[in-house]
Amino acid sequence: MPVSHMLAFALMNFGTGITVPVLSLLLMARGATLETLPLVMGVTLVVTVALEVPSGVAADVLGRRRLFVCSMVLGIAVYVLLALGVNVWLVVASSVLRGIALAARTGTLESIEVDRVMAAHAKHPGLRLSALDKLNSMFAVLETVGVGAGALAGGVLATLDASYLLVIAAVCVVNAGALVVALLVYPRDERSACSVHAEFQEGPRRPSVGEALHQIIAAIKDGGTLKMVLLASAAAGVVMLTVETYWQPALLALAGDGMTWLLGPVSCAGQAAAALGSVAASRMRGPQTGGWGAHGRSVWMLGTLAGAVLMVVVLGAVTVPGLFVAAYVAFYLLLGVRTVFEQTLLHEAAPSEERTGMMSIQSIALRAGGLVATGVSSVVTTFSTLACLWPALALVAAVPSVLAAVRVRRM
């Protein structure tokens, strides 16, 4: 990936990271309350899920660069609204815009980069898969480093200004920078194949959004690899939500409430492990030599996913803080490897003209797994203890994992 393109991703992720440690506090400072905060956060989730697939299909049909520009403009508008005053209705409106912006941004620049790599290795399948591994590893590293650096900056800015206007201003400036860089480095005519065809009268007619969505659904029905990836994504969504929601109270229960300072370093260690896993996946001997192919990557993806599910069980079973931290780091290391191979399989199986929409559907599968985990968690914590929650959710994640493994055997 060219350095100028990496800069666009770095700025985009840095802007996201600024609000990661303080988003709830920011919304409450601008007008939300403890009672309205779940509603405000829920609005964003509902809007994102509702528009995820339509916006992805629109990016394939209308142009990925164009959708990215729209998403960044909306992302800036989110924080402009929050800066206008302390008012719960402004917070709600900003949450709606945030959901639209998140949905519109999914997979836009990533699809452009994947198309570039696919075109460069069109005649060499083995090298193409290896190049996709490296590209997906770069995506993961840029996200981890960018979000992590942004979170550190956001924490500092929040301590300097209780109104969070400094945080709001920083997000607007960084997002504007990402938008300008993207406009400069990504050519206007760099769109999906279906958009290019539409520029020539003798080419096929550009499909409507509805037609494009129908094509994506047909591709999933006919594609064993795509079904396997979506099932694996759902399983990953279950374990990711489980760990991200409950690791902090579980660790403090083992280490003691006075060890709150430990949460930051442990969280950073997990993110570093995920980045390390991503880099390791792209440098494994099989992919580097053009070997393994799609089947080998499927086995590795499902193997590391199974390892992550096992780490969820371990997290619920250990009684020593050091072992808990080791399992937590191992969990994210395994997820880092899994993510690279999962994304490579998705990009290889999805046609170029449907890629952004397919990435949106994968995002839906990941979120769906999280929603299932939320429902199961509510039931288990009502009738049992936190210790029982970990194996219960691991069992839930095992179901789509096994179904995905069955798909691999049929491939």
Side-chain angles (χ1 to χ4, degrees):
M1 185 190 301
V3 174
S4 58
H5 293 204
M6 292 171 60
L7 178 60
F9 279 92
L11 287 172
M12 179 178 67
N13 289 316
F14 186 84
T16 299
I18 290 174
T19 60
V20 164
V22 297
L23 181 58
S24 295
L25 299 175
L26 184 155
L27 295 176
M28 291 177 67
R30 306 311 297 171
T33 64
L34 281 174
E35 292 75 21
T36 59
L37 185 62
L39 173 63
V40 167
M41 302 291 279
V43 165
T44 299
L45 177 61
V46 170
V47 172
T48 303
V49 171
L51 297 181
E52 189 84 73
V53 174
S55 64
V57 175
D60 288 329
V61 174
L62 303 177
R64 291 153 184 169
R65 180 177 180 267
R66 179 179 299 173
L67 261 290
F68 176 78
V69 170
C70 291
S71 72
M72 296 307 291
V73 170
L74 288 172
I76 294 171
V78 167
Y79 293 95
V80 170
L81 279 177
L82 290 173
L84 292 179
V86 179
N87 185 299
V88 67
W89 295 112
L90 288 175
V91 174
V92 172
S94 73
S95 297
V96 173
L97 288 183
R98 181 182 289 108
I100 299 172
L102 289 173
R105 195 177 74 184
T106 300
T108 48
L109 295 189
E110 291 87 347
S111 292
I112 296 175
E113 295 294 340
V114 170
D115 280 348
R116 180 177 57 81
V117 169
M118 298 284 279
H121 302 86
K123 298 181 180 179
H124 305 283
L127 295 178
R128 182 172 66 245
L129 288 171
S130 178
L132 286 174
D133 288 340
K134 293 177 181 177
L135 179 64
N136 290 317
S137 173
M138 180 60 67
F139 287 155
V141 170
L142 288 171
E143 180 178 2
T144 300
V145 174
V147 171
L152 292 175
V156 171
L157 293 173
T159 61
L160 298 176
D161 175 26
S163 70
Y164 292 89
L165 288 175
L166 279 179
V167 171
I168 290 171
V171 175
C172 290
V173 170
V174 174
N175 283 352
L179 175 58
V180 170
V181 172
L183 287 171
L184 291 175
V185 303
Y186 288 101
R188 181 173 299 182
D189 59 348
E190 194 168 349
R191 300 177 183 171
S192 63
C194 57
S195 297
V196 174
H197 285 314
E199 297 175 4
F200 300 93
Q201 292 183 355
E202 67 274 13
R205 177 181 63 85
R206 177 189 299 183
S208 67
V209 172
E211 291 170 338
L213 180 58
H214 179 75
Q215 292 171 4
I216 289 175
I217 294 173
I220 293 173
K221 289 181 178 179
D222 296 336
T225 298
L226 291 174
K227 290 179 182 177
M228 182 266 296
V229 168
L230 294 177
L231 286 167
S233 294
V238 173
V239 295
M240 288 172 65
L241 183 131
T242 302
V243 173
E244 291 171 2
T245 302
Y246 296 106
W247 77 269
Q248 296 172 0
L251 178 56
L252 290 180
L254 295 176
D257 292 336
M259 300 295 288
T260 304
W261 63 269
L262 187 62
L263 298 179
V266 172
S267 179
C268 288
Q271 293 301 308
L276 179 61
S278 300
V279 173
S282 69
R283 296 185 178 182
M284 288 182 180
R285 181 170 177 80
Q288 284 289 301
T289 57
W292 289 6
H295 186 270
R297 285 170 171 82
S298 300
V299 172
W300 267 93
M301 183 195 73
L302 293 176
T304 51
L305 176 59
V309 173
L310 177 61
M311 286 303 105
V312 171
V313 177
V314 173
L315 286 169
V318 296
T319 57
V320 179
L323 293 178
F324 185 95
V325 172
Y328 176 83
V329 172
F331 173 82
Y332 277 101
L333 179 70
L334 291 164
L335 282 188
V337 177
R338 180 206 67 87
T339 298
V340 169
F341 292 140
E342 177 190 70
Q343 293 300 310
T344 295
L345 291 166
L346 177 71
H347 297 325
E348 175 69 10
S352 174
E353 62 272 16
E354 300 168 5
R355 181 163 292 117
T356 311
M358 203 69 74
M359 291 177 70
S360 294
I361 289 179
Q362 188 217 8
S363 178
I364 290 289
L366 194 70
R367 294 176 191 274
L371 289 173
V372 170
T374 299
V376 173
S377 298
S378 299
V379 174
V380 174
T381 53
T382 299
F383 297 100
S384 187
T385 63
L386 183 60
C388 297
L389 181 66
W390 300 91
L393 288 172
L395 182 61
V396 172
V399 174
S401 299
V402 170
L403 293 176
V406 171
R407 289 287 172 186
V408 171
R409 289 181 61 86
R410 294 177 180 177
M411 289 168 56

